[in-house]
Amino acid sequence: MRDFPSCFGENGVQISDTATTTTTPPPPPPTTAAKTAQNLVTCTYHCNLHNSSSFIITITWSKTLIGHHLSAQINNPINQSLCKLQIKPTLFSKSKGYRNFQVGPTQIHFFYDLSIAKFTTSPEPIRDFYFAIAINQELILQLGDMEKQLIKKLNTNRFNFTSFPPNSILISKKEHIFGKKSYSTTAQFNGKGQIHEISIECDTINTIDPSLVVRIDGKSVMQVKRLRWKFRGNYTILVDGLPVEVYWDVYDWFNDNNGGKLIGGNGVFLFQTCLSAEKLWGSAISWSNSLVKEKESMGLGLGFCLVLCVWKDE
């Protein structure tokens, strides 16, 4: 069986081969500090200007012991980095304003108000904020629910935006989630369509024969019995009328002992909408940052990809 990603860090996806011997050191024990550092969400957007120019924008929301952190990176269609903005945790409560960059002939402006942003357990804010990016005086990405405040800011700076919201599509999301038996997040599988709640339910401690259940908006769409023997696999579900391939790898949930030391096993789940006949699990892919960058740079309609790194809090 081909490799599957064990987890991803703040700088990308780390590939772990659980079937063969490797010289890569095992991950550290899941201490409170380590888990807090892994609390991050990375969203990648494909954005278009009216002149057909396209850009890849990666937004990373993270939370550490000292607070929230935001990183935004803009790449051109051939995956060359144009600029990067970082808002440090110590400044998050004062994060209101804008920044501008000149990259050759390209003008890049960031507008943000995160000063009263509200959060749940995720490092990604849920309301009371806005974050936007404009390129060459045209709005290309807009996040958050404070639309009126953003428009006022744009008008004050005399920005020309002929369409609102801008033409941007979320193409991938990577997230760490934590729990004892149940894990949940949200995802938008079909461009700007409905936002769905995804929950994964599994008890590997208090049962002899663990099973895995995946629910979309509370409805069971997939169940895996005899999970100790079926710790890897894939299944097709339908969401918004689209086929979604679900891949899971929970090997480390049952094999987290290395030389007598617990290494804090995690499970990985991948939800992929893809019209291509080529399967991600096959010879084409060891799912990594290089794959994501390749898909993004191609700018093709390869659908949406959600990667969940699932940690058990026992």
Side-chain angles (χ1 to χ4, degrees):
M1 182 172 290
R2 305 293 296 182
D3 294 348
F4 194 67
S6 174
C7 192
F8 51 86
E10 292 189 2
N11 296 320
V13 177
Q14 299 174 354
I15 302 301
S16 172
D17 188 347
T18 56
T20 59
T21 303
T22 177
T23 57
T24 303
T31 62
T32 301
K35 287 185 177 181
T36 302
Q38 294 167 344
N39 196 1
L40 62 86
V41 177
T42 300
C43 299
T44 303
Y45 301 85
H46 185 270
C47 308
N48 291 300
L49 294 176
H50 284 99
N51 63 5
S52 299
S53 298
S54 62
F55 298 87
I56 300 299
I57 300 178
T58 302
I59 307 293
T60 299
W61 307 91
S62 60
K63 181 181 179 182
T64 65
L65 292 175
I66 60 175
H68 291 87
H69 179 274
L70 167 63
S71 173
Q73 179 167 318
I74 302 177
N75 287 19
N76 62 18
I78 59 175
N79 209 40
Q80 293 176 332
S81 178
L82 298 180
C83 72
K84 186 173 184 179
L85 172 71
Q86 297 193 47
I87 301 177
K88 303 294 184 180
T90 55
L91 303 176
F92 221 71
S93 61
K94 303 177 182 178
S95 299
K96 183 178 181 180
Y98 75 96
R99 296 278 303 278
N100 64 286
F101 297 86
Q102 184 75 37
V103 184
T106 304
Q107 288 185 335
I108 302 174
H109 295 262
F110 295 88
F111 298 86
Y112 51 90
D113 187 348
L114 307 169
S115 57
I116 59 171
K118 300 299 188 298
F119 300 84
T120 55
T121 56
S122 171
E124 184 180 17
I126 58 171
R127 67 178 186 275
D128 298 340
F129 79 101
Y130 69 75
F131 182 84
I133 300 175
I135 294 181
N136 294 335
Q137 300 291 308
E138 184 178 333
L139 196 65
I140 193 170
L141 178 68
Q142 179 258 326
L143 305 176
D145 59 341
M146 293 172 57
E147 184 176 302
K148 292 182 180 179
Q149 292 86 337
L150 173 59
I151 292 177
K152 181 179 179 180
K153 187 71 174 180
L154 292 170
N155 286 334
T156 301
N157 289 271
R158 299 181 180 180
F159 270 74
N160 176 28
F161 54 98
T162 56
S163 64
F164 197 94
N167 186 12
S168 60
I169 297 177
L170 178 64
I171 59 175
S172 72
K173 180 178 180 181
K174 313 171 194 175
E175 181 176 1
H176 287 268
I177 55 178
F178 303 86
K180 294 178 182 278
K181 303 176 184 179
S182 180
Y183 319 86
S184 62
T185 187
T186 59
Q188 198 172 19
F189 291 95
N190 186 15
K192 300 179 180 180
Q194 180 181 352
I195 297 176
H196 297 280
E197 181 179 353
I198 302 171
S199 64
I200 300 169
E201 300 172 8
C202 181
D203 185 358
T204 60
I205 301 298
N206 301 314
T207 180
I208 298 177
D209 187 15
S211 63
L212 172 72
V213 178
V214 175
R215 302 181 189 275
I216 305 291
D217 298 328
K219 180 181 178 181
S220 176
V221 295
M222 188 186 88
Q223 183 175 13
V224 181
K225 297 182 178 180
R226 301 183 65 193
L227 190 61
R228 288 185 181 273
W229 302 102
K230 299 179 181 179
F231 51 82
R232 292 191 187 104
N234 66 289
Y235 189 80
T236 303
I237 64 176
L238 287 177
V239 181
D240 297 332
L242 295 175
V244 177
E245 289 288 335
V246 182
Y247 301 84
W248 71 91
D249 185 344
V250 295
Y251 176 88
D252 286 345
W253 279 359
F254 304 106
N255 300 272
D256 62 353
N257 191 293
N258 184 38
K261 297 181 179 180
L262 291 178
I263 63 175
N266 63 276
V268 178
F269 294 81
L270 184 149
F271 297 78
Q272 170 75 34
T273 62
C274 185
L275 300 180
S276 170
E278 183 180 47
K279 295 294 184 180
L280 292 183
W281 194 278
S283 59
I285 307 172
S286 210
W287 206 92
S288 64
N289 272 354
S290 60
L291 170 66
V292 178
K293 292 176 180 178
E294 179 183 354
K295 290 170 57 178
E296 294 165 355
S297 64
M298 291 170 65
L300 300 178
L302 296 182
F304 171 75
C305 184
L306 171 68
V307 177
L308 301 176
C309 184
V310 180
W311 297 86
K312 285 187 168 291
D313 286 330
E314 299 295 352

